[in-house]
Amino acid sequence: MPKLSALARVLPLFCLMLFLAGICFMGCKKKNPHAEETVVFKPEPISPEDTIKYPNALITTLNRKNKWVDSVFRRMTPDERITQLMMIEVFSNKGPEHEEDVLRLIRHYKVGGLIFFQGGPIRQARMTNRLQAASKIPLWIGMDAENGIGMRMDSAMQYPLPMLLGAINNDSLIYQMGAEMAFEFKRLGMHLNFAPVVDVNNNPHNPIISYRAFGENKNDVSSKSLAQMMGMQDNGIIATAKHFPGHGDTDVDSHYDLPIIPYGRHRLDSLELYPFRHLIQSGVGGIMVGHIHLPKLDSTANLPASLSKPIVTNILRKELDYSGLIFTDAMVMKGVTKYFKPGEAEVMALEAGNDVLERLVSVPQALQAIKTAIREKRLSQKEIDRRCRKVLAAKYWVGLNKYKPIMIDSLYRDLHAPHAHEMLRRLSEGSLTLLQNKRKIIPLEEKKRRTVASLAVGGTKSTFFQKQIKTKLTTKDFFLPRRTNKKDLEKLRKELLKYDLLLISIYGPSIRPSNNLGFSPQERALVNELIRKKRSVVVLFDNAYTLNRFEDVNQATALVVGYQQLPAVQAAAARLLTGELTPQGKLPVTVNANFRYGDGL
């Protein structure tokens, strides 16, 4: 994977000197009035040299004069300059009718970009080629893929989420993950990732950030999000830090309502804004503003940060001196739509200082409202034009000035490269956190007279972890599915109490971590009783905060946190228990008085 050389670290000053010299040169050079203006949208191969590789290169590109940008811009109508600031949602699994709706918005309104959600790689690639072919100006394409494209689509690699990464002590692995994500994005014809999450999650009851954050320590969040950001941007994909000015200390999901952050500048400066400052200084290409209300920063009733000029312009743009791309969070979320109508919300977002409007409720309504606001002098065409040029400059940086359709051949194979699987294995092994190991029970060894039961809590059939353990230890598999009736619970209880040692693996309801695991009080009571009464090794394959769902888990003989139930994590956990791995992970959050940030044997 590419690494930042010592030379690259001093290049920004050198490039700035060249840039200033170029300005002087251009200022003396006379423009040829007979020069022919050309704009090329034909597919051409992209040269690796077209993506500049020094720190802050993207920010420089966004704000410097560019012939391609000028040529494209001059051919755009005022309406097209407005809609170039819009990115609409697209699904590759919703069929022809949905695709026709998207095509209509591209052909009629000339929207600037797309955000892909659920679907599959082959379907998305083919759909992307069709949509790009219909667009007057190449579309820039994004995805909300915090842990890779597998977060949104089937048949694709799914990398670990930030909480697991927060447990890893080797940030170079996170850089490599960012580089792998960039490769996958480019292979699928995408240009922008709405990641990393740089929220500091210091509220265990946060329903929306939680495991999506690297942890509760601002330094960890800064260093790990920086590693992921640089892995992507060093390899030509725009990273977007979110959710400004900090969504970590909330107990409301902004998808469904407007969270309120009661803190003022002193608290925000000391905690929430710290990672954002760090990434801004390091050249992050984009920042997404969250739908969260901060009354001490802007007292306007029910106003989310995304629509607040004191927050977006005064703090982010001016005070933090951020000249990259500023995105709204999705404009379809209740944190906005509950209090502001479609159209008016988009006008307010542009008034606040955002560059790009993401996932609009209605493109026609937004366009009409923005045009009215320009006539009424609430917005200026000059500001719209400036932001339009900025979006075009971003398209230039990602290579859309030499657009090339996606090659379908070997796409699936390329998205499952051996080096990606190897990187996933290393991430999984480096994250495992051993919180307890009483009597040094780990590593487990085969003993003739000891009987071992392997209980999958939340499982209905043998899990990957149980299968891996069986290769080293003689065990019998048991299962505790959700919604187990009272009679079956009692039968399972009696059977398990006969064993000398219990291996209790705990799984959430899906491959993504959860906030409460979804077990009934009776099911949790059985697990607690087994932990109290028997020698037990507990492995949690879910959100670390869910340890609180089992009040007696601190009595386990051994306790391991795996953070997610990815097969690579389950395989690593089995190897750790049998002594093939040394635990390296540290808890990235404080769970309770027994298990605190930084714990890990």
Side-chain angles (χ1 to χ4, degrees):
M1 293 296 171
K3 293 186 178 179
L4 198 62
S5 67
L7 176 61
R9 297 184 186 279
V10 299
L11 271 176
L13 180 59
F14 175 69
C15 293
L16 178 60
M17 294 170 65
L18 288 178
F19 176 54
L20 292 174
I23 290 175
C24 295
F25 175 77
M26 287 188 291
C28 299
K29 186 179 179 181
K30 292 182 179 180
K31 183 178 179 181
N32 180 1
H34 303 293
E36 184 177 351
E37 294 176 0
T38 59
V39 55
V40 180
F41 297 137
K42 293 180 181 179
E44 293 181 18
I46 299 175
S47 168
E49 290 77 28
D50 287 331
T51 300
I52 308 168
K53 296 288 187 179
Y54 59 84
N56 287 309
L58 172 52
I59 302 298
T60 302
T61 301
L62 294 176
N63 295 282
R64 73 174 0 158
K65 192 171 178 63
N66 182 301
K67 290 182 180 179
W68 181 83
V69 170
D70 290 344
S71 183
V72 176
F73 179 82
R74 282 194 290 268
R75 285 168 166 74
M76 298 173 72
T77 66
D79 282 11
E80 291 170 0
R81 295 171 189 176
I82 295 171
T83 54
Q84 192 66 199
L85 310 182
M86 300 177 182
M87 298 184 76
I88 60 173
E89 64 183 23
V90 188
F91 298 78
S92 65
N93 64 350
K94 285 194 173 183
E97 187 175 339
H98 170 70
E99 184 171 332
E100 280 303 314
D101 288 340
V102 175
L103 280 167
R104 180 178 60 84
L105 293 174
I106 292 171
R107 288 170 177 153
H108 185 73
Y109 291 100
K110 312 294 192 299
V111 293
L114 313 174
I115 306 164
F116 268 102
F117 286 88
Q118 279 70 27
I122 304 296
R123 285 172 289 168
Q124 178 171 314
R126 288 176 174 155
M127 188 175 181
T128 296
N129 287 343
R130 292 192 295 269
L131 298 178
Q132 288 282 25
S135 184
K136 174 183 175 181
I137 298 170
L139 299 155
W140 64 338
I141 298 175
M143 181 177 278
D144 196 352
E146 295 158 17
N147 60 316
I149 61 174
M151 177 175 171
R152 296 294 175 188
M153 60 177 63
D154 55 36
S155 309
M157 292 281 291
Q158 185 166 154
Y159 301 121
L161 281 154
M163 180 180 277
L164 182 149
L165 301 175
I168 295 174
N169 290 309
N170 184 355
D171 288 354
S172 67
L173 291 176
I174 301 172
Y175 176 94
Q176 291 174 30
M177 188 189 82
E180 289 288 352
M181 292 164 69
F183 168 78
E184 294 174 348
F185 265 62
K186 293 175 85 169
R187 187 64 182 85
L188 274 168
M190 297 193 293
H191 318 100
L192 165 72
N193 193 0
F194 292 108
V197 175
V198 302
D199 299 312
V200 181
N201 197 89
N202 57 344
N203 186 338
H205 304 293
N206 193 321
I208 183 58
I209 304 302
S210 188
Y211 55 82
R212 295 169 61 199
F214 289 102
E216 68 180 40
N217 180 278
K218 64 182 182 181
N219 294 303
D220 285 351
V221 172
S222 295
S223 64
K224 293 178 188 301
S225 59
L226 176 63
Q228 186 181 15
M229 180 272 281
M230 291 184 68
M232 289 187 284
Q233 288 192 181
D234 282 357
N235 293 280
I237 295 299
I238 300 173
T240 308
K242 61 186 185 184
H243 308 78
F244 188 86
H247 206 321
D249 196 357
T250 64
D251 56 8
V252 173
D253 185 344
S254 53
H255 289 87
Y256 306 111
D257 208 337
L258 180 64
I260 297 175
I261 307 289
Y263 307 110
R265 281 304 301 273
H266 177 73
R267 156 63 187 267
L268 291 169
D269 282 335
S270 65
L271 186 66
E272 279 86 357
L273 291 178
Y274 184 87
F276 286 102
R277 291 181 189 273
H278 195 182
L279 266 67
I280 287 171
Q281 292 165 2
S282 302
V284 67
I287 288 181
M288 178 186 287
V289 186
H291 301 319
I292 46 181
H293 181 43
L294 295 97
K296 290 191 177 180
L297 300 187
D298 189 333
S299 59
T300 308
N302 301 316
L303 188 71
S306 51
L307 308 188
S308 167
K309 189 170 184 177
I311 294 174
V312 179
T313 293
N314 295 354
I315 296 178
L316 179 55
R317 181 73 73 193
K318 294 181 177 178
E319 187 178 326
L320 300 184
D321 196 26
Y322 183 62
S323 56
L325 295 155
I326 300 180
F327 297 82
T328 67
D329 205 341
M331 297 299 287
V332 297
M333 292 165 61
K334 293 291 186 183
V336 171
T337 61
K338 183 176 179 179
Y339 300 103
F340 301 95
K341 294 180 179 179
E344 176 61 17
E346 283 77 14
V347 169
M348 294 175 68
L350 293 176
E351 284 182 308
N354 294 280
D355 296 312
V356 183
L357 306 169
E358 183 211 340
R359 294 187 72 191
L360 296 77
V361 174
S362 168
V363 169
Q365 282 182 272
L367 175 59
Q368 188 56 50
I370 293 167
K371 290 168 67 176
T372 300
I374 293 172
R375 287 196 301 269
E376 295 174 350
K377 308 298 184 185
R378 289 177 63 187
L379 294 170
S380 72
Q381 187 65 48
K382 182 180 179 181
E383 266 300 298
I384 296 294
D385 292 352
R386 182 186 67 80
R387 297 172 203 186
C388 176
R389 287 177 179 274
K390 202 172 185 180
V391 168
L392 293 174
K395 292 186 174 186
Y396 176 85
W397 188 83
V398 297
L400 281 170
N401 60 311
K402 297 182 178 180
Y403 164 72
K404 185 178 181 180
I406 305 164
M407 291 180 59
I408 305 299
D409 290 348
S410 74
L411 177 59
Y412 181 86
R413 184 188 65 201
D414 291 345
L415 295 177
H416 293 80
H419 54 80
H421 286 278
E422 171 63 15
M423 187 268 299
L424 176 56
R425 179 188 67 80
R426 295 178 65 196
L427 289 168
S428 301
E429 293 178 353
S431 67
L432 291 173
T433 306
L434 180 61
L435 292 178
Q436 291 182 171
N437 192 19
K438 300 173 185 176
R439 307 169 193 164
K440 295 184 179 179
I441 192 171
I442 296 175
L444 298 173
E445 297 175 350
E446 188 74 62
K447 294 185 178 179
K448 291 183 178 180
R449 294 186 177 84
R450 183 174 66 183
T451 57
V452 182
S454 179
L455 172 65
V457 181
T460 57
K461 59 182 180 180
S462 292
T463 66
F464 199 73
F465 169 75
Q466 288 178 311
K467 292 175 181 177
Q468 294 293 305
I469 280 288
K470 276 184 179 293
T471 64
K472 299 291 181 180
L473 293 175
T474 302
T475 63
K476 183 174 181 181
D477 292 347
F478 292 88
F479 312 100
L480 175 53
R482 290 168 182 80
R483 294 181 292 279
T484 300
N485 61 49
K486 185 177 180 180
K487 180 180 177 181
D488 288 340
L489 281 174
E490 182 58 26
K491 180 180 177 182
L492 181 63
R493 172 184 173 275
K494 290 180 177 178
E495 186 68 23
L496 290 172
L497 288 175
K498 298 175 183 176
Y499 283 80
D500 300 319
L501 174 65
L502 304 182
L503 304 184
I504 302 175
S505 49
I506 301 173
Y507 301 84
S510 74
I511 195 165
R512 286 178 66 81
S514 63
N515 287 320
N516 60 25
L517 295 175
F519 296 114
S520 69
Q522 294 77 20
E523 290 158 357
R524 297 201 309 272
L526 174 57
V527 175
N528 280 318
E529 181 184 0
L530 294 173
I531 291 172
R532 288 194 311 270
K533 292 184 175 180
K534 303 299 296 186
R535 185 174 293 189
S536 59
V537 175
V538 177
V539 186
L540 175 68
F541 293 112
D542 207 279
N543 185 346
Y545 286 125
T546 59
L547 286 173
N548 285 318
R549 306 300 291 171
F550 302 97
E551 57 266 27
D552 294 329
V553 72
N554 62 305
Q555 297 185 41
T557 312
L559 175 61
V560 177
V561 180
Y563 305 98
Q564 288 183 249
Q565 55 179 280
L566 296 171
V569 177
Q570 295 188 55
R575 295 185 67 207
L576 186 149
L577 263 55
T578 55
E580 297 174 66
L581 289 180
T582 300
Q584 302 174 50
K586 301 290 183 182
L587 204 58
V589 294
T590 294
V591 174
N592 52 42
N594 295 308
F595 309 117
R596 307 191 66 83
Y597 164 79
D599 285 353
L601 302 178

